[in-house]
Coordinates of all heavy atoms in Angstrom, one line a residue:
S27 N 121.7 83.3 150.7 CA 122.3 83.7 151.9 C 123.8 83.2 152.0 O 124.1 82.1 151.5 CB 121.5 83.2 153.1 OG 121.6 81.9 153.2
A28 N 124.6 84.0 152.6 CA 126.0 83.6 152.6 C 126.3 82.7 153.9 O 125.7 82.9 154.9 CB 126.9 84.8 152.7
C29 N 127.1 81.7 153.7 CA 127.5 80.8 154.8 C 128.9 81.0 155.0 O 129.7 80.7 154.1 CB 127.1 79.3 154.4 SG 127.8 78.2 155.6
F30 N 129.3 81.4 156.2 CA 130.7 81.5 156.5 C 131.2 80.4 157.4 O 132.3 80.4 157.9 CB 130.9 82.9 157.2 CG 130.7 84.0 156.2 CD1 129.6 84.8 156.3 CD2 131.6 84.2 155.2 CE1 129.3 85.7 155.3 CE2 131.4 85.2 154.3 CZ 130.2 86.0 154.3
C31 N 130.4 79.4 157.6 CA 130.7 78.1 158.2 C 131.9 78.1 159.2 O 132.9 77.6 158.8 CB 130.9 77.1 157.1 SG 129.5 77.0 155.9
G32 N 131.7 78.7 160.3 CA 132.8 78.7 161.3 C 133.8 79.8 161.2 O 134.7 79.8 162.0
A33 N 133.8 80.6 160.1 CA 134.7 81.7 160.0 C 134.5 82.8 161.0 O 133.4 83.0 161.4 CB 134.6 82.3 158.6
K34 N 135.6 83.4 161.4 CA 135.5 84.5 162.4 C 135.1 85.7 161.7 O 135.4 86.0 160.6 CB 136.8 84.7 163.1 CG 137.2 83.5 164.0 CD 138.6 83.7 164.6 CE 139.0 82.5 165.4 NZ 140.3 82.7 166.1
S35 N 134.3 86.6 162.4 CA 133.9 87.8 161.8 C 135.1 88.7 161.6 O 136.1 88.7 162.4 CB 132.8 88.5 162.6 OG 133.4 88.8 163.9
P36 N 135.1 89.6 160.6 CA 136.3 90.4 160.3 C 136.4 91.5 161.4 O 135.6 92.5 161.4 CB 136.0 91.0 158.9 CG 134.5 90.9 158.8 CD 134.1 89.7 159.6
E37 N 137.3 91.4 162.3 CA 137.6 92.4 163.3 C 138.9 93.0 162.9 O 139.9 92.3 162.9 CB 137.6 91.8 164.7 CG 136.4 91.1 165.1 CD 135.2 92.1 165.4 OE1 135.5 93.2 165.8 OE2 134.1 91.7 165.2
G38 N 139.0 94.3 162.7 CA 140.2 94.9 162.3 C 140.8 94.4 161.0 O 140.1 94.4 160.0
S39 N 142.0 93.9 161.1 CA 142.6 93.4 159.9 C 142.5 91.9 159.7 O 143.0 91.4 158.7 CB 144.1 93.8 159.9 OG 144.8 93.1 160.9
E40 N 141.9 91.2 160.6 CA 141.7 89.8 160.4 C 140.8 89.5 159.3 O 139.7 90.0 159.1 CB 141.1 89.2 161.7 CG 141.0 87.7 161.7 CD 140.6 87.1 163.0 OE1 140.6 87.9 164.0 OE2 140.2 86.0 163.0
K41 N 141.3 88.6 158.4 CA 140.5 88.2 157.2 C 139.7 87.0 157.5 O 140.2 86.1 158.1 CB 141.4 88.0 156.0 CG 142.2 89.3 155.7 CD 142.4 89.5 154.3 CE 143.2 90.8 154.1 NZ 143.2 91.3 152.8
M42 N 138.5 86.9 156.9 CA 137.7 85.7 157.1 C 138.2 84.6 156.1 O 138.6 84.8 155.0 CB 136.2 86.1 156.7 CG 135.6 87.0 157.7 SD 133.9 87.4 157.3 CE 133.2 85.9 157.2
K43 N 138.1 83.4 156.6 CA 138.4 82.2 155.9 C 137.2 81.4 155.7 O 136.3 81.4 156.6 CB 139.5 81.4 156.6 CG 140.8 82.1 156.7 CD 141.6 82.0 155.5 CE 143.0 82.5 155.7 NZ 143.8 82.4 154.5
E44 N 137.1 80.6 154.6 CA 136.0 79.7 154.4 C 136.5 78.5 153.8 O 137.5 78.5 153.1 CB 134.9 80.3 153.6 CG 135.3 80.7 152.2 CD 134.2 81.5 151.5 OE1 133.1 81.6 152.1 OE2 134.4 81.9 150.4
R45 N 135.9 77.3 154.1 CA 136.3 76.1 153.5 C 135.4 75.9 152.2 O 134.2 76.2 152.2 CB 136.0 74.9 154.4 CG 136.9 75.0 155.6 CD 136.7 73.8 156.5 NE 137.3 72.6 155.8 CZ 137.0 71.4 156.0 NH1 136.1 71.0 156.8 NH2 137.6 70.4 155.4
I46 N 136.1 75.6 151.1 CA 135.5 75.5 149.8 C 135.8 74.1 149.2 O 136.9 73.7 149.3 CB 136.0 76.6 148.9 CG1 135.7 78.0 149.4 CG2 135.4 76.4 147.5 CD1 136.3 79.1 148.7
L47 N 134.8 73.5 148.6 CA 135.0 72.3 147.8 C 135.2 72.7 146.3 O 134.3 73.3 145.7 CB 133.8 71.3 147.9 CG 133.9 70.1 147.0 CD1 135.1 69.2 147.3 CD2 132.6 69.3 147.1
K48 N 136.4 72.5 145.8 CA 136.7 72.8 144.4 C 136.7 71.5 143.6 O 137.2 70.5 144.1 CB 138.1 73.4 144.3 CG 138.2 74.8 144.9 CD 139.5 75.4 144.5 CE 139.4 76.9 145.0 NZ 140.5 77.7 144.4
I49 N 136.0 71.6 142.5 CA 135.9 70.4 141.6 C 136.2 70.8 140.2 O 135.8 71.9 139.7 CB 134.4 69.9 141.6 CG1 134.0 69.5 143.0 CG2 134.2 68.8 140.6 CD1 132.5 69.2 143.1
K50 N 137.0 70.0 139.5 CA 137.2 70.1 138.1 C 137.0 68.8 137.4 O 137.6 67.8 137.7 CB 138.6 70.6 137.8 CG 138.9 70.9 136.3 CD 140.2 71.5 136.1 CE 140.4 71.7 134.6 NZ 141.7 72.3 134.3
I51 N 136.1 68.8 136.4 CA 135.8 67.6 135.6 C 135.9 67.9 134.2 O 135.2 68.8 133.7 CB 134.5 66.9 136.0 CG1 134.4 66.6 137.5 CG2 134.2 65.7 135.1 CD1 133.0 66.2 137.9
N52 N 136.8 67.2 133.4 CA 136.9 67.5 132.0 C 135.9 66.6 131.3 O 135.9 65.4 131.4 CB 138.4 67.1 131.6 CG 138.6 67.4 130.1 OD1 137.7 67.6 129.3 ND2 139.9 67.4 129.7
L53 N 135.1 67.2 130.5 CA 134.0 66.5 129.8 C 134.4 66.2 128.3 O 133.6 65.7 127.6 CB 132.7 67.3 129.8 CG 132.2 67.8 131.1 CD1 131.0 68.6 131.0 CD2 132.0 66.7 132.1
D54 N 135.6 66.4 128.0 CA 136.1 66.2 126.6 C 136.8 64.8 126.4 O 137.9 64.7 126.1 CB 137.1 67.3 126.2 CG 136.5 68.6 126.0 OD1 135.3 68.6 125.7 OD2 137.1 69.6 126.3
N55 N 136.0 63.7 126.7 CA 136.5 62.4 126.5 C 135.4 61.5 126.1 O 134.2 61.8 126.2 CB 137.3 61.9 127.7 CG 136.5 61.8 128.9 OD1 135.4 61.4 128.9 ND2 137.2 62.1 130.0
A56 N 135.7 60.3 125.7 CA 134.7 59.3 125.1 C 133.6 59.0 126.0 O 132.5 58.8 125.6 CB 135.4 58.1 124.6
A57 N 133.8 59.0 127.3 CA 132.8 58.6 128.3 C 131.6 59.6 128.3 O 130.5 59.2 128.6 CB 133.4 58.5 129.7
F58 N 131.9 60.8 127.9 CA 130.8 61.8 127.8 C 130.2 62.0 126.4 O 129.4 62.8 126.2 CB 131.4 63.2 128.3 CG 131.8 63.1 129.8 CD1 133.1 62.9 130.1 CD2 130.9 63.3 130.8 CE1 133.5 62.8 131.4 CE2 131.2 63.3 132.1 CZ 132.5 63.0 132.4
D59 N 130.7 61.2 125.4 CA 130.2 61.3 124.1 C 128.9 60.5 123.8 O 128.3 60.7 122.7 CB 131.3 60.9 123.1 CG 132.4 61.8 123.0 OD1 132.2 63.0 123.4 OD2 133.5 61.4 122.5
S60 N 128.5 59.7 124.7 CA 127.4 58.8 124.5 C 126.0 59.5 124.4 O 125.0 58.9 124.1 CB 127.3 57.7 125.5 OG 127.0 58.3 126.8
G61 N 126.0 60.8 124.8 CA 124.7 61.5 124.9 C 124.1 61.3 126.3 O 123.0 61.8 126.5
H62 N 124.8 60.6 127.2 CA 124.3 60.4 128.5 C 125.3 61.0 129.5 O 125.6 60.4 130.5 CB 124.1 58.9 128.8 CG 123.1 58.3 128.0 ND1 123.2 58.0 126.6 CD2 121.9 57.8 128.3 CE1 122.1 57.5 126.2 NE2 121.3 57.3 127.2
E63 N 125.8 62.2 129.2 CA 126.8 62.8 130.1 C 126.2 63.1 131.5 O 126.9 63.1 132.4 CB 127.3 64.1 129.5 CG 126.3 65.2 129.1 CD 125.8 65.0 127.7 OE1 126.3 64.3 126.9 OE2 124.7 65.6 127.5
N64 N 124.9 63.3 131.6 CA 124.3 63.5 132.9 C 124.4 62.2 133.8 O 124.7 62.3 135.0 CB 122.8 63.9 132.8 CG 122.0 62.9 132.0 OD1 122.5 62.2 131.2 ND2 120.7 63.0 132.2
V65 N 124.3 61.1 133.2 CA 124.5 59.8 133.9 C 126.0 59.7 134.3 O 126.3 59.3 135.5 CB 124.1 58.6 133.1 CG1 124.4 57.3 133.8 CG2 122.6 58.7 132.8
E66 N 126.9 60.0 133.4 CA 128.3 59.9 133.7 C 128.7 60.9 134.9 O 129.4 60.5 135.8 CB 129.1 60.3 132.5 CG 130.6 60.0 132.6 CD 131.0 58.6 132.7 OE1 130.3 57.7 132.1 OE2 132.0 58.3 133.3
L67 N 128.2 62.1 134.8 CA 128.4 63.1 135.9 C 127.8 62.6 137.2 O 128.5 62.7 138.2 CB 127.9 64.4 135.5 CG 128.7 65.3 134.5 CD1 128.0 66.5 134.1 CD2 130.0 65.6 135.2
R68 N 126.6 62.0 137.2 CA 126.0 61.5 138.4 C 126.9 60.5 139.0 O 127.1 60.5 140.2 CB 124.6 61.0 138.1 CG 124.0 60.4 139.4 CD 123.0 59.3 139.2 NE 123.6 58.2 138.5 CZ 122.9 57.4 137.7 NH1 121.6 57.5 137.5 NH2 123.6 56.4 137.1
D69 N 127.4 59.6 138.2 CA 128.3 58.5 138.8 C 129.6 59.1 139.4 O 130.0 58.6 140.4 CB 128.6 57.5 137.7 CG 127.3 56.7 137.3 OD1 126.3 56.7 138.0 OD2 127.4 56.1 136.2
I70 N 130.2 60.0 138.7 CA 131.4 60.6 139.2 C 131.1 61.4 140.5 O 131.9 61.2 141.4 CB 132.0 61.5 138.1 CG1 132.6 60.7 136.9 CG2 133.1 62.4 138.7 CD1 132.9 61.5 135.7
L71 N 130.1 62.2 140.5 CA 129.8 62.9 141.7 C 129.4 62.0 142.9 O 129.7 62.3 144.0 CB 128.7 64.0 141.4 CG 129.1 65.1 140.5 CD1 127.9 65.9 140.0 CD2 130.2 66.0 141.1
Q72 N 128.7 60.9 142.6 CA 128.3 60.0 143.6 C 129.6 59.3 144.2 O 129.7 59.2 145.5 CB 127.4 58.9 143.1 CG 127.0 57.9 144.2 CD 126.2 58.5 145.3 OE1 125.2 59.2 145.1 NE2 126.7 58.4 146.5
D73 N 130.5 58.9 143.4 CA 131.8 58.4 143.9 C 132.5 59.4 144.7 O 133.1 59.1 145.8 CB 132.7 58.0 142.7 CG 134.0 57.5 143.1 OD1 134.1 56.5 143.9 OD2 135.0 58.1 142.7
M74 N 132.5 60.7 144.3 CA 133.2 61.7 145.0 C 132.5 61.9 146.4 O 133.2 62.1 147.4 CB 133.1 63.0 144.2 CG 133.9 64.2 144.7 SD 133.7 65.7 143.8 CE 133.9 65.1 142.1
A75 N 131.2 61.9 146.4 CA 130.4 62.1 147.7 C 130.8 60.9 148.6 O 130.9 61.1 149.8 CB 128.9 62.1 147.4
D76 N 130.8 59.7 148.1 CA 131.2 58.6 148.9 C 132.6 58.7 149.6 O 132.8 58.4 150.7 CB 131.1 57.3 148.1 CG 129.7 56.9 147.7 OD1 128.7 57.4 148.3 OD2 129.6 56.0 146.8
R77 N 133.5 59.2 148.8 CA 134.9 59.4 149.2 C 134.9 60.5 150.3 O 135.7 60.4 151.3 CB 135.8 59.6 148.1 CG 135.9 58.4 147.2 CD 136.4 58.6 145.8 NE 137.8 59.1 145.8 CZ 138.3 59.5 144.6 NH1 137.7 59.4 143.5 NH2 139.6 60.0 144.7
L78 N 134.2 61.6 150.0 CA 134.1 62.7 151.0 C 133.5 62.2 152.3 O 134.0 62.6 153.4 CB 133.3 63.9 150.5 CG 134.1 64.7 149.4 CD1 133.1 65.6 148.6 CD2 135.1 65.6 150.0
F79 N 132.5 61.4 152.2 CA 131.9 60.8 153.4 C 132.8 60.1 154.4 O 132.7 60.2 155.6 CB 130.7 59.9 153.0 CG 129.9 59.4 154.2 CD1 129.0 60.2 154.9 CD2 130.1 58.1 154.6 CE1 128.3 59.7 156.0 CE2 129.4 57.6 155.6 CZ 128.5 58.4 156.3
I80 N 133.8 59.4 153.8 CA 134.7 58.6 154.6 C 136.0 59.4 154.9 O 136.9 58.9 155.5 CB 135.1 57.3 153.9 CG1 135.8 57.5 152.6 CG2 133.9 56.4 153.8 CD1 136.5 56.3 152.0
G81 N 136.0 60.7 154.6 CA 137.0 61.6 155.0 C 138.1 61.9 154.0 O 139.1 62.5 154.3
Q82 N 138.0 61.4 152.8 CA 139.0 61.7 151.7 C 138.6 63.1 151.1 O 137.8 63.2 150.3 CB 138.9 60.6 150.7 CG 140.1 60.7 149.7 CD 140.1 59.5 148.7 OE1 139.2 58.7 148.8 NE2 141.0 59.6 147.8
D83 N 139.3 64.1 151.6 CA 139.0 65.5 151.2 C 139.6 66.0 150.0 O 139.5 67.1 149.6 CB 139.2 66.4 152.4 CG 140.6 66.5 152.8 OD1 141.5 65.9 152.3 OD2 140.9 67.3 153.8
N84 N 140.3 65.1 149.3 CA 140.9 65.4 147.9 C 141.2 64.2 147.2 O 141.4 63.1 147.8 CB 142.1 66.3 148.1 CG 143.3 65.6 148.7 OD1 143.9 64.7 148.1 ND2 143.6 65.9 150.0
G85 N 141.2 64.3 145.9 CA 141.5 63.1 145.1 C 141.2 63.4 143.6 O 140.7 64.4 143.2
F86 N 141.7 62.4 142.8 CA 141.4 62.4 141.4 C 140.1 61.6 141.1 O 139.8 60.7 141.8 CB 142.6 61.8 140.6 CG 143.8 62.7 140.7 CD1 144.8 62.4 141.6 CD2 144.0 63.8 139.9 CE1 146.0 63.2 141.7 CE2 145.1 64.6 140.0 CZ 146.1 64.3 140.9
V87 N 139.4 61.9 140.0 CA 138.2 61.2 139.6 C 138.4 60.6 138.3 O 139.2 61.1 137.4 CB 137.0 62.1 139.6 CG1 136.7 62.6 141.0 CG2 137.1 63.3 138.7
K88 N 137.8 59.4 138.1 CA 137.8 58.7 136.8 C 136.5 58.6 136.2 O 135.5 58.5 136.9 CB 138.3 57.2 137.1 CG 139.8 57.2 137.5 CD 140.2 55.7 137.7 CE 141.6 55.6 138.2 NZ 142.0 54.1 138.3
D89 N 136.4 58.5 134.9 CA 135.2 58.3 134.2 C 134.9 56.8 134.1 O 135.6 55.9 134.7 CB 135.2 58.9 132.8 CG 136.2 58.3 131.9 OD1 136.6 57.1 132.1 OD2 136.7 59.0 131.0
S90 N 133.8 56.4 133.5 CA 133.4 55.0 133.5 C 134.3 54.1 132.6 O 134.2 52.9 132.7 CB 131.9 54.9 133.0 OG 131.8 55.4 131.7
N91 N 135.1 54.7 131.8 CA 136.1 54.0 131.0 C 137.4 53.8 131.8 O 138.4 53.2 131.3 CB 136.4 54.7 129.7 CG 135.2 54.8 128.8 OD1 134.4 53.9 128.8 ND2 135.1 55.8 128.0
G92 N 137.5 54.3 133.0 CA 138.7 54.2 133.8 C 139.7 55.3 133.6 O 140.8 55.2 134.1
N93 N 139.4 56.3 132.8 CA 140.3 57.4 132.5 C 140.2 58.5 133.6 O 139.1 58.9 134.0 CB 140.1 58.0 131.2 CG 140.3 56.9 130.1 OD1 141.3 56.2 130.1 ND2 139.3 56.8 129.2
Y94 N 141.3 59.0 134.0 CA 141.3 60.2 134.9 C 140.7 61.4 134.1 O 141.1 61.7 133.0 CB 142.7 60.6 135.4 CG 143.2 59.6 136.4 CD1 144.1 58.6 136.0 CD2 142.8 59.6 137.7 CE1 144.6 57.7 136.9 CE2 143.2 58.7 138.6 CZ 144.1 57.7 138.2 OH 144.6 56.8 139.1
C95 N 139.7 62.0 134.7 CA 139.1 63.2 134.1 C 138.9 64.4 135.0 O 138.3 65.4 134.6 CB 137.7 62.7 133.6 SG 136.5 62.2 134.9
G96 N 139.5 64.4 136.1 CA 139.4 65.6 137.0 C 139.9 65.3 138.4 O 140.5 64.3 138.7
W97 N 139.5 66.2 139.3 CA 139.9 66.2 140.7 C 138.9 67.0 141.5 O 138.1 67.7 141.0 CB 141.3 66.8 140.8 CG 141.5 68.2 140.2 CD1 142.0 68.5 139.0 CD2 141.1 69.4 140.8 NE1 142.0 69.8 138.8 CE2 141.4 70.4 139.9 CE3 140.5 69.8 142.0 CZ2 141.2 71.8 140.1 CZ3 140.3 71.1 142.2 CH2 140.6 72.1 141.3
Y98 N 139.1 66.8 142.8 CA 138.3 67.6 143.8 C 139.2 67.8 145.0 O 140.1 67.0 145.3 CB 137.0 66.9 144.2 CG 137.2 65.6 145.0 CD1 137.1 65.7 146.4 CD2 137.5 64.4 144.4 CE1 137.3 64.6 147.2 CE2 137.7 63.3 145.2 CZ 137.6 63.4 146.6 OH 137.8 62.3 147.4
K99 N 139.0 68.9 145.7 CA 139.7 69.1 147.0 C 139.0 70.1 147.8 O 138.3 71.0 147.3 CB 141.2 69.5 146.7 CG 141.3 70.8 146.0 CD 142.8 71.1 145.8 CE 143.0 72.4 144.9 NZ 144.4 72.7 144.7
I100 N 139.1 70.0 149.1 CA 138.6 71.0 150.0 C 139.8 71.9 150.4 O 140.8 71.4 150.8 CB 138.0 70.3 151.3 CG1 136.7 69.5 150.9 CG2 137.6 71.4 152.3 CD1 136.1 68.8 152.0
V101 N 139.6 73.2 150.3 CA 140.6 74.1 150.6 C 140.1 75.2 151.5 O 138.9 75.5 151.6 CB 141.2 74.8 149.3 CG1 141.8 73.7 148.4 CG2 140.1 75.5 148.6
N102 N 141.0 75.9 152.2 CA 140.7 77.1 153.0 C 141.1 78.3 152.2 O 142.2 78.4 151.8 CB 141.4 77.0 154.3 CG 140.9 75.9 155.2 OD1 139.7 75.7 155.4 ND2 141.9 75.2 155.8
E103 N 140.2 79.2 152.0 CA 140.5 80.4 151.2 C 139.9 81.6 151.9 O 139.0 81.5 152.7 CB 139.9 80.3 149.8 CG 140.5 79.3 148.9 CD 140.0 79.5 147.5 OE1 139.1 80.2 147.2 OE2 140.6 78.8 146.6
E104 N 140.5 82.8 151.6 CA 140.0 84.0 152.0 C 138.6 84.2 151.5 O 138.4 84.0 150.3 CB 140.9 85.2 151.6 CG 141.6 85.9 152.7 CD 142.5 87.0 152.1 OE1 142.0 87.9 151.4 OE2 143.7 86.9 152.4
A105 N 137.7 84.6 152.3 CA 136.3 84.9 151.9 C 136.2 86.2 151.1 O 136.9 87.1 151.4 CB 135.4 84.9 153.1
E106 N 135.4 86.2 150.1 CA 135.2 87.4 149.4 C 134.3 88.4 150.2 O 133.5 87.9 151.0 CB 134.4 87.1 148.0 CG 135.2 86.3 147.1 CD 134.5 86.0 145.8 OE1 133.5 86.7 145.5 OE2 134.9 85.0 145.2
N107 N 134.5 89.7 150.0 CA 133.7 90.7 150.8 C 132.2 90.7 150.3 O 131.3 90.8 151.1 CB 134.3 92.1 150.6 CG 135.6 92.2 151.3 OD1 135.9 91.5 152.3 ND2 136.5 93.1 150.9
E108 N 132.0 90.6 149.0 CA 130.7 90.7 148.5 C 130.3 89.3 147.8 O 131.2 88.7 147.2 CB 130.6 91.8 147.4 CG 130.8 93.1 148.0 CD 129.6 93.6 148.8 OE1 128.5 93.2 148.6 OE2 129.9 94.4 149.8
R109 N 129.1 88.9 147.9 CA 128.7 87.7 147.3 C 127.6 88.0 146.3 O 126.8 88.8 146.4 CB 128.2 86.7 148.3 CG 129.3 86.3 149.2 CD 129.0 85.0 149.8 NE 130.2 84.6 150.6 CZ 131.0 83.7 150.4 NH1 130.8 82.9 149.3 NH2 132.0 83.4 151.1

């Protein structure tokens, strides 16, 4: 089911907007080579969730070696017509 989370219905030419969490995590570094990439991802996503909880709606993420490996941000975008 589609969630338009507070977006207005399309009346006339008004376009619907939706808030989206965008995430990019690069898995091509040593922290993900151990064969435990699922643990590494869990830790990164938990840190991200903690930061979102306190209101930090964008930021860079680091792996367990302290290297930057991605980012996340909440953005407002035009909703697609079909899902």
Side-chain angles (χ1 to χ4, degrees):
S27 69
C29 171
F30 294 103
C31 306
K34 295 179 180 178
S35 61
E37 301 289 332
S39 65
E40 185 176 344
K41 302 218 179 194
M42 292 179 55
K43 296 280 186 177
E44 61 186 359
R45 294 185 74 203
I46 298 171
L47 173 61
K48 292 191 172 194
I49 300 170
K50 180 174 182 178
I51 301 173
N52 183 347
L53 307 179
D54 291 331
N55 60 38
F58 295 96
D59 287 343
S60 66
H62 295 73
E63 57 273 344
N64 55 339
V65 174
E66 187 71 29
L67 280 171
R68 181 208 54 207
D69 294 344
I70 290 169
L71 292 170
Q72 182 63 58
D73 176 60
M74 190 184 312
D76 292 344
R77 292 161 64 187
L78 285 163
F79 182 75
I80 62 170
Q82 188 176 358
D83 62 359
N84 66 74
F86 293 99
V87 295
K88 292 182 180 182
D89 62 26
S90 61
N91 293 332
N93 299 313
Y94 288 100
C95 62
W97 52 263
Y98 71 96
K99 63 182 174 179
I100 294 177
V101 297
N102 293 313
E103 289 191 350
E104 245 178 59
E106 296 178 18
N107 291 334
E108 296 289 327
R109 295 204 179 247

